[in-house]
Amino acid sequence: MKFQDREVIVFAGDSVTDADKYNTGDRIGTGYVKLIRDALTAFEPQNLYKIVNAGISGDNSADLLARWDKDVDAYAPDTVFCMIGINDVWRHFDELDPHKPLISEEDYEKNLREICKRAKKYKRFFLITPYFLERNRQDEMRMLTERYVQRLYRVAEENGVPVLDAQKAFDEYMLSRAGQSISWDRVHPGPVGSMILARLILKG
């Protein structure tokens, strides 16, 4: 994927994007956003890019939508990558915050539709699928994740938005190694998973 000199690139999402950004001085974090920033710096030193990590740990699609104006639009981005949804799924299983409403499949689709509406002003906007690092397709959380991904594809098709399929990228990895080999909870990607995500985005 090619970027233009002086381009403003925003990555919006949850903890997978956040990657401990508040403990790094540049607020880029230690995950795939950092790898992309470093790759662009190393291999395109003639260009200057503004890279913004707009991930917040724990966010679901409703949370991201609520802060979109402040955390995404405020930067007047040229290109935005949005990966959101795994917390919409996960909370159905762990009930971490029983006072916070669960996001149904229908709610997820509605939230994504509104995000796509707000993203029409950008030069480029990409949705990235949520994923679950479990190769057993009968696993309950894997099955629910796939249903949310189907909703994402539906919204993307309606709005002409390109999709980067993170689940497919991790499924290719899991042909050889289990997802737990890089992520104990099968969600947070760690260094290897972050590299897989960075490659997916840079290849476009």
Side-chain angles (χ1 to χ4, degrees), residues 10-21 27-34 52-57 67 81-84 128 131 188-189 197 201:
V10 174
F11 297 88
D14 48 40
S15 58
V16 174
T17 300
D18 180 318
D20 205 28
K21 71 178 185 182
R27 296 293 177 91
I28 288 295
T30 60
Y32 76 88
V33 178
K34 179 183 186 300
V52 178
N53 184 333
I56 295 291
S57 182
R67 62 182 179 84
F81 296 91
C82 177
M83 177 166 53
I84 196 72
I128 306 173
Y131 61 84
H188 296 95
L197 290 171
I201 292 166

Side-chain angles (χ1 to χ4, degrees), residues 164-179:
L164 303 180
D165 196 331
Q167 185 66 66
K168 181 179 179 182
F170 283 116
D171 284 345
E172 290 173 358
Y173 173 88
M174 290 188 293
L175 290 174
S176 301
R177 301 189 186 196

Side-chain angles (χ1 to χ4, degrees), residues 61 82 84-86 88-89 92 103-116 125 127-130 142-163 165:
S61 59
C82 177
I84 196 72
I86 195 57
D88 302 59
V89 174
H92 288 272
I103 304 296
S104 68
E105 294 175 52
E106 293 78 14
D107 290 336
Y108 179 62
E109 184 174 339
K110 179 181 177 182
N111 292 336
L112 286 182
R113 193 170 284 114
E114 179 60 26
I115 286 173
C116 287
F125 176 68
L127 285 171
I128 306 173
T129 66
R142 171 70 194 250
M143 289 193 295
L144 188 57
T145 301
E146 290 184 354
R147 295 210 300 272
Y148 278 68
V149 167
Q150 289 171 3
R151 299 277 181 161
L152 180 148
Y153 269 103
R154 180 187 301 174
V155 173
E157 185 175 0
E158 288 174 3
N159 290 274
V161 171
V163 176
D165 196 331

Side-chain angles (χ1 to χ4, degrees), residues 33-51:
V33 178
K34 179 183 186 300
L35 293 174
I36 291 170
R37 191 274 311 273
D38 291 351
L40 292 176
T41 302
F43 303 127
E44 298 181 12
Q46 73 279 11
N47 293 335
L48 294 175
Y49 303 106
K50 182 176 179 60
I51 308 293

Side-chain angles (χ1 to χ4, degrees), residues 61-101:
S61 59
D63 298 322
L64 178 57
L65 179 57
R67 62 182 179 84
W68 194 267
D69 292 346
K70 174 176 66 75
D71 288 354
V72 180
D73 269 350
Y75 291 97
D78 299 295
T79 299
V80 175
F81 296 91
C82 177
M83 177 166 53
I84 196 72
I86 195 57
N87 287 320
D88 302 59
V89 174
W90 202 344
R91 296 292 90 87
H92 288 272
F93 294 92
D94 69 1
E95 299 179 358
L96 186 64
D97 186 352
H99 302 293
K100 190 172 184 177

